[in-house]
Amino acid sequence: MATASPRFSAFGACGNRSERRPGFSGSGKVEPWSFQFPPSAEAWKVASASRAARSKKASSQINSLPDSDDFFYEKVPTPMLDVIESPINVKNLSTKELRQLADEIRLELSSILRKAQKPLKSSLAVVELTVAIHHVFHAPADKILWDVGEQTYAHKMLTGRRSLMNTLRQKDGLSGFTSRSESEYDPFGAGHGCSSISAGLGMAVARDMKRKRERILTVISNGTTMAGQVYEAMSNAGYLDSDMIVILNDSRHSLHPNIEEGPKTSINALSSTLSKLQSSKSFRKFREVAKGVTKKIGRGMHEWAAKVDEFARGMVGPPGSTLFEELGLYYIGPVDGHKIEDLVCVLQEVASLNSMGPVLIHVVTEENQGIEHSQRSDTGEDVGEGSSSYDSIASDYQPRTYSDCFVEALIRKADSDKDVVMVHGGAEVEPSFQLFREKFPDRFFDIGMAEQHAVTFSAGLSCGGLKPFCVIPSAFLQRAFDQVVHDVDRQRIPVRFVITSAGLVGSNGPVQCGAFDITFMSCLPNMIVMAPSDEDELVNMVETAAMVDDRPICFRYPRGAIVRTDKSLSDGIPIEIGRGRILAEGKDVALLGYGSMVQNCIKAQSLLSKLGIEVTVADARFCKPLDIGLLRELCENHGFLVTVEEGSIGGFGSHVAQFIALDGRLDGRIKWRPIVLPDAYIEHASPNEQLSLAGLTGHHIAATVLSLLGRTREALLLMC
């Protein structure tokens, strides 16, 4: 009997596989509300129905490229990419053709992202990995889940959305994340990391219970591995032993700024061969037979053999590989993430295995891969080492942001108070916060995507006598609400929460929208909840938070530029807790704004004054405790009270309604109306477009007042 070649018997065949032709579900538009101040839930239901009705039409158009020569910002020849309408077209390509396809995707993607001033590196690093995945697996029957939105762009191009890539993160365009409503190739919507393994494991268990056969594959990153949910999911996957594949895209990121000085995972011929051997069917069968023999010998021998196997594979693997083995995942790697032939071979071997249990494939990528050709600016000058063309374009003009002002104020406070420290939780650290890190390296703690730990860690710092400012974006703070309740508020520990990216966040859409923090923070019994209306108030609230030492306190500020960019910041002055202020006085209507919406109330007041309506504008400053005296004054002196906030139902307006109802104010002549974010998720668009969709611009506020006064025609004309 002939014996197969050693390479074939060890590594298996790496050929092409048959494929089922998938379909596609396109995205539609988000309709603005019409003639309603503010928009109701019903208006949003109508908009959603309209969007769904157009999705079929969009799906029929999405695979064809437009004829316009200026569709792509920079035309580059892409003969291989031009014939790819869906992943089925990737199946029969040779290794050489797959490499060409990856090169063309990288060229076109870098051109689109550079012109759109979007980050390049993480999306370009996974091009070969994405091509290999779609060459081997059968999406959408096989489920491919991603944790990081920016790493899905090549995936979007290969799954029928190439013609819409120039609309990425724009109104009515493609989402910057995976989206179930956008495409059937996105089986799960990626939020802000660490969810894919949990969701994938759930799909794997459901598949097994329904006796189906699809493969479940999840792609995680270094940043993802900072989140505890990842390890909880891995541990559960190891226990349940369901078949699923986890790919760790190791782009060699770390929380430590001097990562380049530390050891890096090396990829050489030996490690490449070992990775193929580990993934081969023959090797896996040999391991299963060996485990069966040792089980028959005795329990002690079986456990000893398992430890020897784990130790031996740990010896040839990189540091940390045995961690995944301990969690119950079979480790394969490291694999060079830019060698398509290695990726395809390993993925085909893993895909061909049955009853394999959970497998982790360690893929090492370089974020600078393929962007060397873009290292010159439009003038022909070098952009500089370690930066991309995106960095150069984006740095041409950088408006001063609320984060800039916050850091400046916190540095001042830290200079005079040695107990002030900064704890950062979330994804990437904003450039502004690096200033604090550089000046006070021993008083800056970057926790990464481990928000629960960040909150409890801050509580511990406070118990130790320090004054922690715990900085977490609003959407990420949602993860840590249990810790905020039990580890901070219930114990009255003075942690100072700085809630960034509050409210609408433009191109990141509902995924990172900070809509709910007013509601979930203000319901806590001991929490002081405040929001600045401009940069001066922000500085004052930094000083106020530093002074509070008997209970927790929080303040929120929006993403984006400050109100007055040409003004230097003054020294902070502590604000009396629960004290608002009146900015303009009128006798007809009172506008009570909270946070950044105070500025839009001022714009509305200016519009209404031209129509002969006298408006009082008040800055609440505090959601909890409310300024009771200010509320009573506004109710006594006006027939109409309108509260305005960039938050969900149940926030500031609800607290105002609770008080004036119990105080008997609603029993008299006062009429109260709240303006809040709609009871729906607002999709990605520019900040101004999102505010318009939400009904929170100055014109919308003014139109609401006109409607209250019975001047409906003028309200409609104002919105034209």
Side-chain angles (χ1 to χ4, degrees):
M1 179 176 172
T3 304
S5 67
R7 176 176 176 80
F8 184 88
S9 61
F11 307 141
C14 299
N16 297 308
R17 306 173 67 186
S18 62
E19 174 60 23
R20 296 177 294 275
R21 178 176 294 273
F24 180 82
S25 175
S27 61
K29 292 185 177 181
V30 177
E31 294 292 339
W33 56 275
S34 177
F35 304 132
Q36 190 165 351
F37 314 103
S40 67
E42 288 300 320
W44 278 93
K45 290 179 181 177
V46 172
S48 299
S50 176
R51 178 177 60 183
R54 285 195 306 271
S55 64
K56 184 175 182 180
K57 180 180 179 181
S59 66
S60 66
Q61 299 172 344
I62 198 166
N63 286 328
S64 60
L65 289 173
D67 296 328
S68 174
D69 289 336
D70 60 357
F71 174 75
F72 293 114
Y73 296 106
E74 289 183 10
K75 276 291 183 181
V76 291
T78 54
M80 186 63 64
L81 181 58
D82 290 343
V83 301
I84 304 299
E85 295 183 354
S86 72
I88 195 173
N89 304 122
V90 184
K91 300 300 175 185
N92 295 321
L93 299 182
S94 66
T95 300
K96 181 179 178 180
E97 291 170 329
L98 291 174
R99 283 197 293 264
Q100 179 183 342
L101 176 61
D103 290 339
E104 292 179 9
I105 291 175
R106 180 172 280 107
L107 281 171
E108 185 163 291
L109 192 56
S110 62
S111 175
I112 294 172
L113 296 178
R114 196 166 63 248
K115 291 299 183 182
Q117 299 188 19
K118 305 295 183 189
L120 287 171
K121 295 183 178 180
S122 61
S123 58
L124 299 185
V126 296
V127 170
E128 286 85 1
L129 175 59
T130 306
V131 170
I133 287 173
H134 282 293
H135 177 72
V136 174
F137 293 93
H138 303 279
D142 290 338
K143 310 303 180 186
I144 304 172
L145 289 76
W146 303 78
D147 256 353
V148 180
E150 289 174 2
Q151 294 180 7
T152 66
Y153 297 163
H155 164 76
K156 288 175 182 280
M157 293 181 71
L158 291 175
T159 53
R161 288 169 277 185
R162 179 193 176 196
S163 63
L164 298 179
M165 287 302 293
N166 69 324
T167 70
L168 194 67
R169 295 177 180 264
Q170 297 177 15
K171 183 176 181 289
D172 299 332
L174 292 181
S175 169
F177 308 87
T178 53
S179 171
R180 285 162 53 88
S181 62
E182 183 177 285
S183 171
E184 63 179 329
Y185 290 96
D186 296 349
F188 195 79
H192 27 89
C194 87
S195 62
S196 67
I197 301 179
S198 298
L201 179 59
M203 293 178 186
V205 171
R207 171 204 60 202
D208 296 342
M209 295 181 68
K210 290 181 175 291
R211 301 182 183 277
K212 295 183 178 180
R213 298 177 60 84
E214 69 263 24
R215 294 293 186 187
I216 310 296
L217 183 146
T218 73
V219 184
I220 65 175
S221 69
N222 300 78
T224 298
T225 58
M226 294 305 301
Q229 182 179 350
V230 167
Y231 300 101
E232 294 171 1
M234 286 184 182
S235 178
N236 194 215
Y239 173 76
L240 294 175
D241 202 34
S242 293
D243 291 357
M244 69 177 297
I245 303 165
V246 178
I247 296 180
L248 170 58
N249 170 37
D250 181 4
S251 56
R252 309 185 185 189
H253 268 317
S254 171
L255 292 178
H256 304 291
N258 60 340
I259 181 62
E260 66 278 358
E261 299 174 5
K264 291 184 178 180
T265 303
S266 61
I267 302 294
N268 50 39
L270 177 60
S271 63
S272 177
T273 301
L274 289 172
S275 296
K276 294 176 184 176
L277 176 62
Q278 290 169 347
S279 64
S280 70
K281 186 181 299 184
S282 301
F283 185 75
R284 287 300 305 273
K285 284 184 176 179
F286 173 77
R287 292 182 76 246
E288 294 302 320
V289 170
K291 285 194 289 185
V293 171
T294 55
K295 283 182 179 179
K296 292 180 180 179
I297 294 175
R299 176 177 176 82
M301 179 62 71
H302 168 63
E303 293 179 351
W304 177 82
K307 289 295 183 183
V308 170
D309 175 66
E310 179 184 307
F311 175 76
R313 287 170 13 84
M315 290 290 289
V316 299
S321 60
T322 54
L323 167 64
F324 303 112
E325 293 279 349
E326 290 288 350
L327 291 171
L329 279 73
Y330 180 79
Y331 175 88
I332 299 172
V335 182
D336 190 332
H338 302 294
K339 291 186 67 176
I340 281 189
E341 56 270 30
D342 287 358
L343 288 168
V344 168
C345 191
V346 170
L347 290 175
Q348 282 182 334
E349 287 290 352
V350 172
S352 68
L353 297 173
N354 293 317
S355 302
M356 60 180 178
V359 173
L360 183 134
I361 305 174
H362 181 186
V363 175
V364 177
T365 60
E366 291 285 350
E367 288 204 337
N368 289 322
Q369 179 76 15
I371 64 172
E372 292 81 1
H373 68 281
S374 302
Q375 290 298 307
R376 289 184 174 272
S377 65
D378 295 336
T379 62
E381 298 177 353
D382 284 338
V383 174
E385 183 179 357
S387 63
S388 66
S389 298
Y390 163 77
D391 300 323
S392 174
I393 295 171
S395 62
D396 288 344
Y397 172 69
Q398 290 290 346
R400 201 164 183 222
T401 66
Y402 276 91
S403 286
D404 294 330
C405 296
F406 162 69
V407 170
E408 183 179 332
L410 191 63
I411 287 176
R412 286 187 194 175
K413 190 62 186 174
D415 277 329
S416 60
D417 190 338
K418 304 304 180 185
D419 290 335
V420 169
V421 296
M422 181 176 174
V423 178
H424 178 268
E428 296 181 1
V429 179
E430 292 185 42
S432 305
F433 300 152
Q434 299 289 357
L435 297 176
F436 190 95
R437 167 185 262 167
E438 292 170 3
K439 181 153 186 169
F440 305 106
D442 296 333
R443 294 156 68 181
F444 180 89
F445 304 93
D446 182 18
I447 306 302
M449 283 200 302
E451 296 83 6
Q452 298 97 324
H453 169 61
V455 171
T456 307
F457 175 66
S458 298
L461 291 173
S462 182
C463 290
L466 297 178
K467 296 181 178 179
F469 281 75
C470 184
V471 184
I472 303 179
S474 175
F476 291 85
L477 185 60
Q478 295 163 187
R479 291 175 171 172
F481 185 62
D482 181 68
Q483 284 72 23
V484 174
V485 174
H486 291 289
D487 298 342
V488 177
D489 190 75
R490 188 173 58 82
Q491 303 181 65
R492 295 183 65 98
I493 296 176
V495 173
R496 297 138 188 96
F497 291 101
V498 183
I499 306 172
T500 66
S501 296
L504 301 170
V505 290
S507 62
N508 281 334
V511 173
Q512 294 184 11
C513 176
F516 310 113
D517 59 271
I518 304 174
T519 299
F520 67 68
M521 294 299 273
S522 63
C523 72
L524 301 178
N526 296 318
M527 186 72 65
I528 298 173
V529 183
M530 53 186 181
S533 57
D534 56 32
E535 57 271 26
D536 290 331
E537 286 292 284
L538 174 60
V539 174
N540 292 338
M541 288 184 181
V542 171
E543 191 71 26
T544 304
M547 298 290 291
V548 174
D549 60 2
D550 62 341
R551 50 185 162 162
I553 186 171
C554 70
F555 57 89
R556 67 178 340 229
Y557 62 77
R559 177 184 297 184
I562 58 177
V563 178
R564 294 182 290 274
T565 58
D566 57 346
K567 181 182 176 182
S568 60
L569 292 180
S570 57
D571 292 334
I573 301 173
I575 303 171
E576 180 183 345
I577 300 298
R579 176 58 63 90
R581 58 176 181 161
I582 291 180
L583 302 178
E585 292 195 66
K587 61 181 178 62
D588 297 323
V589 178
L591 297 178
L592 180 59
Y594 183 69
S596 60
M597 286 298 100
V598 172
Q599 301 303 322
N600 288 1
C601 289
I602 293 174
K603 294 176 184 177
Q605 186 258 349
S606 177
L607 291 170
L608 292 168
S609 66
K610 297 175 183 178
L611 299 175
I613 301 172
E614 298 183 21
V615 177
T616 293
V617 176
D619 178 5
R621 284 175 165 166
F622 292 86
C623 176
K624 188 174 188 179
L626 289 169
D627 188 337
I628 294 175
L630 175 62
L631 281 175
R632 285 174 173 163
E633 179 183 344
L634 295 177
C635 290
E636 288 172 0
N637 298 332
H638 303 84
F640 302 93
L641 172 65
V642 179
T643 57
V644 188
E645 63 188 297
E646 194 176 355
S648 66
I649 297 171
F652 172 68
S654 296
H655 282 261
V656 170
Q658 175 82 1
F659 169 74
I660 61 178
L662 294 178
D663 202 45
R665 301 290 165 174
L666 291 179
D667 301 338
R669 69 186 186 94
I670 188 70
K671 295 182 180 179
W672 167 74
R673 293 291 186 274
I675 298 180
V676 300
L677 288 175
D679 191 22
Y681 294 103
I682 300 179
E683 296 299 328
H684 49 278
S686 71
N688 288 335
E689 288 171 332
Q690 282 194 323
L691 282 174
S692 181
L693 284 168
L696 286 174
T697 67
H699 281 74
H700 289 91
I701 298 169
T704 299
V705 171
L706 289 169
S707 297
L708 273 174
L709 296 174
R711 298 165 66 167
T712 307
R713 179 178 177 80
E714 291 174 283
L716 296 176
L717 290 174
L718 188 63
M719 297 306 303
C720 292

